[in-house]
Short mmCIF file of all heavy atoms in Angstrom, two decimals:
data_model
loop_
_atom_site.label_atom_id
_atom_site.label_comp_id
_atom_site.label_asym_id
_atom_site.label_seq_id
_atom_site.Cartn_x
_atom_site.Cartn_y
_atom_site.Cartn_z
N THR Y 1560 47.64 -35.71 -47.37
CA THR Y 1560 47.37 -34.39 -47.93
C THR Y 1560 48.18 -33.33 -47.20
O THR Y 1560 48.80 -32.45 -47.83
CB THR Y 1560 45.86 -34.07 -47.83
OG1 THR Y 1560 45.14 -34.99 -48.66
CG2 THR Y 1560 45.57 -32.65 -48.26
N GLY Y 1561 48.19 -33.39 -45.87
CA GLY Y 1561 48.98 -32.43 -45.11
C GLY Y 1561 50.47 -32.61 -45.32
O GLY Y 1561 51.21 -31.62 -45.50
N TYR Y 1562 50.92 -33.85 -45.34
CA TYR Y 1562 52.36 -34.11 -45.45
C TYR Y 1562 52.90 -33.70 -46.82
O TYR Y 1562 53.97 -33.09 -46.93
CB TYR Y 1562 52.65 -35.58 -45.19
CG TYR Y 1562 54.10 -35.96 -45.37
CD1 TYR Y 1562 55.09 -35.43 -44.55
CD2 TYR Y 1562 54.48 -36.85 -46.37
CE1 TYR Y 1562 56.43 -35.77 -44.72
CE2 TYR Y 1562 55.80 -37.20 -46.55
CZ TYR Y 1562 56.77 -36.66 -45.72
OH TYR Y 1562 58.10 -36.99 -45.90
N PHE Y 1563 52.17 -34.00 -47.89
CA PHE Y 1563 52.64 -33.64 -49.23
C PHE Y 1563 52.63 -32.12 -49.42
O PHE Y 1563 53.46 -31.58 -50.16
CB PHE Y 1563 51.79 -34.32 -50.30
CG PHE Y 1563 52.02 -35.80 -50.41
CD1 PHE Y 1563 51.08 -36.64 -50.99
CD2 PHE Y 1563 53.19 -36.38 -49.92
CE1 PHE Y 1563 51.29 -38.00 -51.10
CE2 PHE Y 1563 53.42 -37.74 -50.02
CZ PHE Y 1563 52.47 -38.56 -50.61
N THR Y 1564 51.71 -31.44 -48.77
CA THR Y 1564 51.74 -29.97 -48.80
C THR Y 1564 52.97 -29.46 -48.07
O THR Y 1564 53.63 -28.50 -48.52
CB THR Y 1564 50.46 -29.40 -48.18
OG1 THR Y 1564 49.32 -29.94 -48.85
CG2 THR Y 1564 50.42 -27.88 -48.30
N TYR Y 1565 53.30 -30.07 -46.96
CA TYR Y 1565 54.53 -29.74 -46.22
C TYR Y 1565 55.75 -29.91 -47.13
O TYR Y 1565 56.63 -29.03 -47.18
CB TYR Y 1565 54.62 -30.66 -45.00
CG TYR Y 1565 55.97 -30.71 -44.33
CD1 TYR Y 1565 56.32 -29.79 -43.35
CD2 TYR Y 1565 56.90 -31.70 -44.67
CE1 TYR Y 1565 57.56 -29.85 -42.72
CE2 TYR Y 1565 58.14 -31.76 -44.07
CZ TYR Y 1565 58.46 -30.83 -43.09
OH TYR Y 1565 59.70 -30.88 -42.49
N LEU Y 1566 55.81 -31.01 -47.89
CA LEU Y 1566 56.94 -31.23 -48.79
C LEU Y 1566 57.01 -30.17 -49.88
O LEU Y 1566 58.10 -29.71 -50.26
CB LEU Y 1566 56.84 -32.61 -49.43
CG LEU Y 1566 57.00 -33.83 -48.51
CD1 LEU Y 1566 56.89 -35.12 -49.32
CD2 LEU Y 1566 58.34 -33.79 -47.77
N LEU Y 1567 55.85 -29.76 -50.40
CA LEU Y 1567 55.84 -28.71 -51.42
C LEU Y 1567 56.43 -27.42 -50.89
O LEU Y 1567 57.29 -26.80 -51.53
CB LEU Y 1567 54.40 -28.48 -51.91
CG LEU Y 1567 54.17 -27.24 -52.77
CD1 LEU Y 1567 54.97 -27.33 -54.07
CD2 LEU Y 1567 52.69 -27.04 -53.06
N VAL Y 1568 56.00 -27.00 -49.72
CA VAL Y 1568 56.47 -25.72 -49.17
C VAL Y 1568 57.94 -25.82 -48.79
O VAL Y 1568 58.70 -24.85 -48.96
CB VAL Y 1568 55.59 -25.31 -47.98
CG1 VAL Y 1568 56.08 -24.00 -47.36
CG2 VAL Y 1568 54.14 -25.14 -48.44
N ARG Y 1569 58.37 -26.97 -48.31
CA ARG Y 1569 59.81 -27.15 -48.05
C ARG Y 1569 60.58 -27.07 -49.37
O ARG Y 1569 61.67 -26.48 -49.43
CB ARG Y 1569 60.06 -28.50 -47.39
CG ARG Y 1569 59.64 -28.58 -45.95
CD ARG Y 1569 60.49 -27.68 -45.05
NE ARG Y 1569 61.83 -28.26 -44.84
CZ ARG Y 1569 62.94 -27.54 -44.70
NH1 ARG Y 1569 62.91 -26.23 -44.83
NH2 ARG Y 1569 64.11 -28.13 -44.48
N GLY Y 1570 60.03 -27.65 -50.43
CA GLY Y 1570 60.67 -27.58 -51.73
C GLY Y 1570 60.76 -26.17 -52.28
O GLY Y 1570 61.66 -25.85 -53.08
N LEU Y 1571 59.84 -25.30 -51.85
CA LEU Y 1571 59.88 -23.90 -52.26
C LEU Y 1571 60.90 -23.10 -51.46
O LEU Y 1571 61.08 -21.90 -51.72
CB LEU Y 1571 58.50 -23.27 -52.09
CG LEU Y 1571 57.39 -23.81 -53.01
CD1 LEU Y 1571 56.04 -23.21 -52.65
CD2 LEU Y 1571 57.72 -23.55 -54.47
N GLY Y 1572 61.55 -23.76 -50.51
CA GLY Y 1572 62.62 -23.10 -49.77
C GLY Y 1572 62.20 -22.51 -48.45
O GLY Y 1572 63.00 -21.80 -47.80
N LEU Y 1573 60.99 -22.76 -47.97
CA LEU Y 1573 60.54 -22.23 -46.69
C LEU Y 1573 60.88 -23.20 -45.56
O LEU Y 1573 61.13 -24.38 -45.80
CB LEU Y 1573 59.04 -21.94 -46.72
CG LEU Y 1573 58.63 -20.60 -47.36
CD1 LEU Y 1573 59.01 -20.54 -48.82
CD2 LEU Y 1573 57.12 -20.38 -47.21
N GLY Y 1574 60.85 -22.71 -44.33
CA GLY Y 1574 61.24 -23.50 -43.18
C GLY Y 1574 60.23 -24.56 -42.80
O GLY Y 1574 59.09 -24.56 -43.26
N ARG Y 1575 60.66 -25.45 -41.92
CA ARG Y 1575 59.80 -26.56 -41.49
C ARG Y 1575 58.55 -26.04 -40.79
O ARG Y 1575 57.46 -26.59 -40.96
CB ARG Y 1575 60.58 -27.50 -40.57
CG ARG Y 1575 61.60 -28.37 -41.28
CD ARG Y 1575 62.16 -29.43 -40.37
NE ARG Y 1575 63.00 -28.83 -39.33
CZ ARG Y 1575 64.31 -28.68 -39.44
NH1 ARG Y 1575 64.93 -29.06 -40.56
NH2 ARG Y 1575 65.02 -28.17 -38.45
N ARG Y 1576 58.71 -25.02 -39.99
CA ARG Y 1576 57.58 -24.49 -39.23
C ARG Y 1576 56.48 -23.98 -40.16
O ARG Y 1576 55.31 -24.32 -40.01
CB ARG Y 1576 58.08 -23.37 -38.32
CG ARG Y 1576 57.14 -23.01 -37.18
CD ARG Y 1576 57.67 -21.77 -36.45
NE ARG Y 1576 59.07 -21.93 -36.08
CZ ARG Y 1576 59.49 -22.13 -34.85
NH1 ARG Y 1576 58.62 -22.21 -33.86
NH2 ARG Y 1576 60.78 -22.25 -34.57
N THR Y 1577 56.89 -23.17 -41.13
CA THR Y 1577 55.89 -22.62 -42.05
C THR Y 1577 55.35 -23.70 -42.99
O THR Y 1577 54.19 -23.64 -43.40
CB THR Y 1577 56.50 -21.47 -42.86
OG1 THR Y 1577 57.76 -21.88 -43.40
CG2 THR Y 1577 56.70 -20.25 -42.00
N ALA Y 1578 56.17 -24.68 -43.33
CA ALA Y 1578 55.70 -25.78 -44.17
C ALA Y 1578 54.63 -26.59 -43.44
O ALA Y 1578 53.61 -26.98 -44.03
CB ALA Y 1578 56.86 -26.67 -44.58
N PHE Y 1579 54.85 -26.81 -42.16
CA PHE Y 1579 53.84 -27.52 -41.36
C PHE Y 1579 52.55 -26.70 -41.28
O PHE Y 1579 51.45 -27.24 -41.40
CB PHE Y 1579 54.37 -27.81 -39.96
CG PHE Y 1579 53.37 -28.48 -39.07
CD1 PHE Y 1579 53.11 -29.83 -39.20
CD2 PHE Y 1579 52.66 -27.76 -38.12
CE1 PHE Y 1579 52.17 -30.46 -38.39
CE2 PHE Y 1579 51.72 -28.36 -37.31
CZ PHE Y 1579 51.48 -29.72 -37.45
N PHE Y 1580 52.69 -25.40 -41.11
CA PHE Y 1580 51.51 -24.54 -41.05
C PHE Y 1580 50.71 -24.62 -42.36
O PHE Y 1580 49.48 -24.71 -42.34
CB PHE Y 1580 51.95 -23.09 -40.78
CG PHE Y 1580 50.83 -22.10 -40.87
CD1 PHE Y 1580 49.93 -21.96 -39.83
CD2 PHE Y 1580 50.66 -21.31 -42.00
CE1 PHE Y 1580 48.88 -21.05 -39.91
CE2 PHE Y 1580 49.62 -20.41 -42.09
CZ PHE Y 1580 48.73 -20.27 -41.04
N ALA Y 1581 51.41 -24.61 -43.49
CA ALA Y 1581 50.72 -24.71 -44.78
C ALA Y 1581 49.99 -26.05 -44.90
O ALA Y 1581 48.84 -26.11 -45.38
CB ALA Y 1581 51.72 -24.55 -45.92
N GLY Y 1582 50.64 -27.13 -44.47
CA GLY Y 1582 49.99 -28.43 -44.50
C GLY Y 1582 48.74 -28.45 -43.64
O GLY Y 1582 47.71 -29.02 -44.03
N MET Y 1583 48.80 -27.81 -42.48
CA MET Y 1583 47.63 -27.76 -41.60
C MET Y 1583 46.52 -26.92 -42.22
O MET Y 1583 45.34 -27.23 -42.08
CB MET Y 1583 48.03 -27.20 -40.24
CG MET Y 1583 48.78 -28.18 -39.36
SD MET Y 1583 47.81 -29.68 -38.99
CE MET Y 1583 46.40 -28.96 -38.16
N MET Y 1584 46.90 -25.85 -42.92
CA MET Y 1584 45.87 -25.02 -43.55
C MET Y 1584 45.08 -25.81 -44.59
O MET Y 1584 43.86 -25.68 -44.67
CB MET Y 1584 46.52 -23.79 -44.21
CG MET Y 1584 46.62 -22.58 -43.31
SD MET Y 1584 46.75 -21.04 -44.24
CE MET Y 1584 45.15 -20.96 -45.02
N LEU Y 1585 45.78 -26.62 -45.39
CA LEU Y 1585 45.04 -27.42 -46.36
C LEU Y 1585 44.27 -28.54 -45.68
O LEU Y 1585 43.16 -28.89 -46.09
CB LEU Y 1585 46.00 -28.01 -47.41
CG LEU Y 1585 45.31 -28.76 -48.56
CD1 LEU Y 1585 44.31 -27.87 -49.28
CD2 LEU Y 1585 46.32 -29.32 -49.54
N LEU Y 1586 44.85 -29.07 -44.61
CA LEU Y 1586 44.17 -30.13 -43.87
C LEU Y 1586 42.81 -29.66 -43.36
O LEU Y 1586 41.84 -30.42 -43.37
CB LEU Y 1586 45.05 -30.57 -42.70
CG LEU Y 1586 44.95 -32.03 -42.26
CD1 LEU Y 1586 45.36 -32.96 -43.38
CD2 LEU Y 1586 45.84 -32.26 -41.04
N VAL Y 1587 42.72 -28.42 -42.90
CA VAL Y 1587 41.47 -27.91 -42.32
C VAL Y 1587 40.68 -27.04 -43.30
O VAL Y 1587 39.70 -26.41 -42.91
CB VAL Y 1587 41.74 -27.12 -41.03
CG1 VAL Y 1587 42.42 -27.99 -39.99
CG2 VAL Y 1587 42.56 -25.86 -41.30
N ALA Y 1588 41.11 -26.99 -44.56
CA ALA Y 1588 40.32 -26.25 -45.56
C ALA Y 1588 38.93 -26.87 -45.65
O ALA Y 1588 38.79 -28.09 -45.72
CB ALA Y 1588 41.01 -26.29 -46.91
N PRO Y 1589 37.86 -26.07 -45.64
CA PRO Y 1589 36.51 -26.62 -45.66
C PRO Y 1589 36.25 -27.58 -46.83
O PRO Y 1589 35.58 -28.59 -46.66
CB PRO Y 1589 35.62 -25.37 -45.76
CG PRO Y 1589 36.42 -24.31 -45.08
CD PRO Y 1589 37.86 -24.60 -45.44
N MET Y 1590 36.80 -27.28 -48.02
CA MET Y 1590 36.57 -28.16 -49.16
C MET Y 1590 37.28 -29.50 -48.98
O MET Y 1590 36.94 -30.48 -49.63
CB MET Y 1590 37.05 -27.48 -50.45
CG MET Y 1590 36.64 -28.18 -51.73
SD MET Y 1590 34.88 -28.55 -51.92
CE MET Y 1590 34.18 -26.92 -52.11
N HIS Y 1591 38.24 -29.56 -48.04
CA HIS Y 1591 38.88 -30.82 -47.69
C HIS Y 1591 38.10 -31.53 -46.59
O HIS Y 1591 37.75 -32.70 -46.70
CB HIS Y 1591 40.32 -30.56 -47.25
CG HIS Y 1591 41.07 -31.80 -46.89
ND1 HIS Y 1591 41.76 -31.94 -45.72
CD2 HIS Y 1591 41.23 -32.98 -47.55
CE1 HIS Y 1591 42.32 -33.13 -45.67
NE2 HIS Y 1591 42.02 -33.78 -46.77
N LEU Y 1592 37.78 -30.80 -45.52
CA LEU Y 1592 37.09 -31.39 -44.39
C LEU Y 1592 35.72 -31.95 -44.78
O LEU Y 1592 35.30 -33.01 -44.30
CB LEU Y 1592 36.91 -30.35 -43.28
CG LEU Y 1592 38.13 -30.01 -42.43
CD1 LEU Y 1592 37.80 -28.86 -41.49
CD2 LEU Y 1592 38.61 -31.22 -41.63
N VAL Y 1593 35.01 -31.23 -45.65
CA VAL Y 1593 33.65 -31.63 -45.97
C VAL Y 1593 33.62 -32.96 -46.70
O VAL Y 1593 32.57 -33.62 -46.78
CB VAL Y 1593 32.96 -30.52 -46.79
CG1 VAL Y 1593 33.39 -30.56 -48.26
CG2 VAL Y 1593 31.46 -30.59 -46.66
N GLY Y 1594 34.76 -33.41 -47.22
CA GLY Y 1594 34.82 -34.73 -47.83
C GLY Y 1594 34.48 -35.84 -46.86
O GLY Y 1594 34.12 -36.94 -47.28
N LEU Y 1595 34.57 -35.56 -45.56
CA LEU Y 1595 34.24 -36.57 -44.55
C LEU Y 1595 32.75 -36.90 -44.54
O LEU Y 1595 32.34 -37.90 -43.93
CB LEU Y 1595 34.67 -36.09 -43.16
CG LEU Y 1595 36.19 -35.96 -42.97
CD1 LEU Y 1595 36.51 -35.24 -41.67
CD2 LEU Y 1595 36.85 -37.32 -43.00
N TYR Y 1596 31.95 -36.10 -45.21
CA TYR Y 1596 30.54 -36.45 -45.37
C TYR Y 1596 30.35 -37.60 -46.37
O TYR Y 1596 29.27 -38.18 -46.45
CB TYR Y 1596 29.73 -35.25 -45.83
CG TYR Y 1596 29.42 -34.26 -44.73
CD1 TYR Y 1596 29.66 -32.90 -44.90
CD2 TYR Y 1596 28.86 -34.67 -43.53
CE1 TYR Y 1596 29.36 -31.99 -43.91
CE2 TYR Y 1596 28.57 -33.77 -42.52
CZ TYR Y 1596 28.82 -32.43 -42.71
OH TYR Y 1596 28.53 -31.53 -41.72
N GLY Y 1597 31.38 -37.88 -47.18
CA GLY Y 1597 31.26 -38.99 -48.12
C GLY Y 1597 31.95 -38.79 -49.45
O GLY Y 1597 31.83 -39.66 -50.32
N HIS Y 1598 32.65 -37.68 -49.65
CA HIS Y 1598 33.36 -37.44 -50.91
C HIS Y 1598 34.84 -37.74 -50.75
O HIS Y 1598 35.62 -36.87 -50.35
CB HIS Y 1598 33.16 -35.99 -51.36
CG HIS Y 1598 31.85 -35.74 -52.02
ND1 HIS Y 1598 31.57 -34.62 -52.76
CD2 HIS Y 1598 30.71 -36.48 -52.06
CE1 HIS Y 1598 30.34 -34.68 -53.22
NE2 HIS Y 1598 29.80 -35.80 -52.81
N MET Y 1599 35.24 -38.95 -51.08
CA MET Y 1599 36.64 -39.34 -50.91
C MET Y 1599 37.56 -38.65 -51.92
O MET Y 1599 38.77 -38.63 -51.72
CB MET Y 1599 36.78 -40.86 -51.01
CG MET Y 1599 36.15 -41.58 -49.85
SD MET Y 1599 36.33 -43.38 -49.93
CE MET Y 1599 38.03 -43.59 -49.43
N THR Y 1600 37.01 -38.08 -52.98
CA THR Y 1600 37.84 -37.27 -53.88
C THR Y 1600 38.36 -36.04 -53.16
O THR Y 1600 39.40 -35.50 -53.50
CB THR Y 1600 37.03 -36.83 -55.11
OG1 THR Y 1600 35.84 -36.14 -54.67
CG2 THR Y 1600 36.65 -38.02 -55.95
N LYS Y 1601 37.63 -35.57 -52.15
CA LYS Y 1601 38.02 -34.38 -51.40
C LYS Y 1601 38.92 -34.72 -50.21
O LYS Y 1601 39.74 -33.89 -49.80
CB LYS Y 1601 36.79 -33.62 -50.91
CG LYS Y 1601 35.90 -33.05 -52.01
CD LYS Y 1601 34.75 -32.26 -51.41
CE LYS Y 1601 33.90 -31.58 -52.48
NZ LYS Y 1601 33.06 -32.53 -53.20
N THR Y 1602 38.77 -35.89 -49.63
CA THR Y 1602 39.58 -36.21 -48.46
C THR Y 1602 41.04 -36.46 -48.83
O THR Y 1602 41.92 -36.40 -47.96
CB THR Y 1602 39.04 -37.45 -47.72
OG1 THR Y 1602 38.97 -38.56 -48.63
CG2 THR Y 1602 37.66 -37.18 -47.16
N PHE Y 1603 41.32 -36.75 -50.10
CA PHE Y 1603 42.71 -36.92 -50.53
C PHE Y 1603 43.01 -35.89 -51.61
O PHE Y 1603 42.69 -36.08 -52.78
CB PHE Y 1603 42.95 -38.34 -51.04
CG PHE Y 1603 44.38 -38.60 -51.43
CD1 PHE Y 1603 45.44 -38.08 -50.68
CD2 PHE Y 1603 44.69 -39.35 -52.54
CE1 PHE Y 1603 46.77 -38.32 -51.03
CE2 PHE Y 1603 46.01 -39.60 -52.91
CZ PHE Y 1603 47.05 -39.07 -52.14
N LEU Y 1604 43.66 -34.80 -51.21
CA LEU Y 1604 44.10 -33.76 -52.13
C LEU Y 1604 45.61 -33.77 -52.31
O LEU Y 1604 46.17 -32.89 -52.96
CB LEU Y 1604 43.68 -32.37 -51.61
CG LEU Y 1604 42.20 -32.17 -51.27
CD1 LEU Y 1604 41.95 -30.74 -50.80
CD2 LEU Y 1604 41.31 -32.51 -52.46
N GLY Y 1605 46.28 -34.79 -51.77
CA GLY Y 1605 47.73 -34.77 -51.68
C GLY Y 1605 48.46 -34.88 -53.00
O GLY Y 1605 49.63 -34.47 -53.09
N LEU Y 1606 47.82 -35.42 -54.03
CA LEU Y 1606 48.52 -35.56 -55.30
C LEU Y 1606 48.78 -34.21 -55.97
O LEU Y 1606 49.74 -34.07 -56.73
CB LEU Y 1606 47.73 -36.47 -56.24
CG LEU Y 1606 47.71 -37.95 -55.85
CD1 LEU Y 1606 46.73 -38.74 -56.72
CD2 LEU Y 1606 49.10 -38.56 -55.95
N MET Y 1607 47.95 -33.22 -55.68
CA MET Y 1607 48.15 -31.91 -56.29
C MET Y 1607 49.41 -31.21 -55.76
O MET Y 1607 50.23 -30.75 -56.57
CB MET Y 1607 46.90 -31.04 -56.11
CG MET Y 1607 45.71 -31.54 -56.92
SD MET Y 1607 44.30 -30.41 -56.89
CE MET Y 1607 43.83 -30.50 -55.16
N PRO Y 1608 49.62 -31.11 -54.45
CA PRO Y 1608 50.89 -30.53 -54.00
C PRO Y 1608 52.09 -31.35 -54.43
O PRO Y 1608 53.16 -30.79 -54.73
CB PRO Y 1608 50.75 -30.47 -52.48
CG PRO Y 1608 49.66 -31.41 -52.13
CD PRO Y 1608 48.73 -31.38 -53.30
N LEU Y 1609 51.95 -32.67 -54.49
CA LEU Y 1609 53.06 -33.51 -54.93
C LEU Y 1609 53.40 -33.22 -56.39
O LEU Y 1609 54.58 -33.12 -56.76
CB LEU Y 1609 52.70 -34.98 -54.74
CG LEU Y 1609 53.85 -35.99 -54.78
CD1 LEU Y 1609 54.84 -35.72 -53.66
CD2 LEU Y 1609 53.31 -37.41 -54.69
N ALA Y 1610 52.39 -33.07 -57.21
CA ALA Y 1610 52.62 -32.76 -58.63
C ALA Y 1610 53.27 -31.38 -58.79
O ALA Y 1610 54.19 -31.21 -59.61
CB ALA Y 1610 51.30 -32.81 -59.39
N LEU Y 1611 52.82 -30.39 -58.03
CA LEU Y 1611 53.40 -29.05 -58.14
C LEU Y 1611 54.83 -29.02 -57.60
O LEU Y 1611 55.66 -28.25 -58.08
CB LEU Y 1611 52.52 -28.05 -57.40
CG LEU Y 1611 51.15 -27.80 -58.05
CD1 LEU Y 1611 50.29 -26.90 -57.17
CD2 LEU Y 1611 51.31 -27.19 -59.43
N LEU Y 1612 55.13 -29.86 -56.63
CA LEU Y 1612 56.51 -29.97 -56.14
C LEU Y 1612 57.41 -30.53 -57.24
O LEU Y 1612 58.52 -30.00 -57.47
CB LEU Y 1612 56.55 -30.88 -54.91
CG LEU Y 1612 57.94 -31.24 -54.39
CD1 LEU Y 1612 58.68 -30.00 -53.90
CD2 LEU Y 1612 57.85 -32.29 -53.28
N THR Y 1613 56.96 -31.58 -57.91
CA THR Y 1613 57.79 -32.15 -58.99
C THR Y 1613 57.94 -31.16 -60.14
O THR Y 1613 59.00 -31.10 -60.77
CB THR Y 1613 57.17 -33.47 -59.50
OG1 THR Y 1613 55.83 -33.22 -59.96
CG2 THR Y 1613 57.14 -34.51 -58.40
N LEU Y 1614 56.91 -30.37 -60.43
CA LEU Y 1614 57.03 -29.34 -61.46
C LEU Y 1614 58.07 -28.29 -61.05
O LEU Y 1614 58.90 -27.88 -61.86
CB LEU Y 1614 55.68 -28.67 -61.72
CG LEU Y 1614 55.72 -27.49 -62.69
CD1 LEU Y 1614 56.05 -27.96 -64.10
CD2 LEU Y 1614 54.39 -26.72 -62.67
N HIS Y 1615 58.02 -27.88 -59.79
CA HIS Y 1615 58.98 -26.89 -59.29
C HIS Y 1615 60.41 -27.40 -59.43
O HIS Y 1615 61.30 -26.67 -59.90
CB HIS Y 1615 58.67 -26.59 -57.82
CG HIS Y 1615 59.66 -25.68 -57.17
ND1 HIS Y 1615 59.69 -24.31 -57.37
CD2 HIS Y 1615 60.71 -25.94 -56.32
CE1 HIS Y 1615 60.68 -23.77 -56.69
NE2 HIS Y 1615 61.31 -24.74 -56.04
N HIS Y 1616 60.65 -28.65 -59.08
CA HIS Y 1616 62.00 -29.22 -59.20
C HIS Y 1616 62.39 -29.40 -60.67
O HIS Y 1616 63.57 -29.25 -61.02
CB HIS Y 1616 62.06 -30.56 -58.48
CG HIS Y 1616 62.05 -30.43 -56.98
ND1 HIS Y 1616 62.32 -29.26 -56.33
CD2 HIS Y 1616 61.82 -31.36 -56.01
CE1 HIS Y 1616 62.25 -29.45 -55.02
NE2 HIS Y 1616 61.94 -30.72 -54.80
#
Side-chain angles (χ1 to χ4, degrees):
T1560 296
Y1562 176 64
F1563 289 159
T1564 305
Y1565 165 88
L1566 293 181
L1567 168 63
V1568 178
R1569 287 293 285 146
L1571 294 174
L1573 278 63
R1575 287 189 291 267
R1576 198 187 308 253
T1577 48
F1579 178 77
F1580 173 78
M1583 285 299 300
M1584 270 202 67
L1585 186 57
L1586 211 61
V1587 301
M1590 191 52 69
H1591 181 231
L1592 284 174
V1593 79
L1595 294 170
Y1596 282 131
H1598 280 195
M1599 292 181 77
T1600 55
K1601 296 183 175 74
T1602 57
F1603 183 39
L1604 307 181
L1606 289 172
M1607 291 188 294
L1609 196 61
L1611 292 174
L1612 172 64
T1613 58
L1614 174 68
H1615 175 77
H1616 287 343

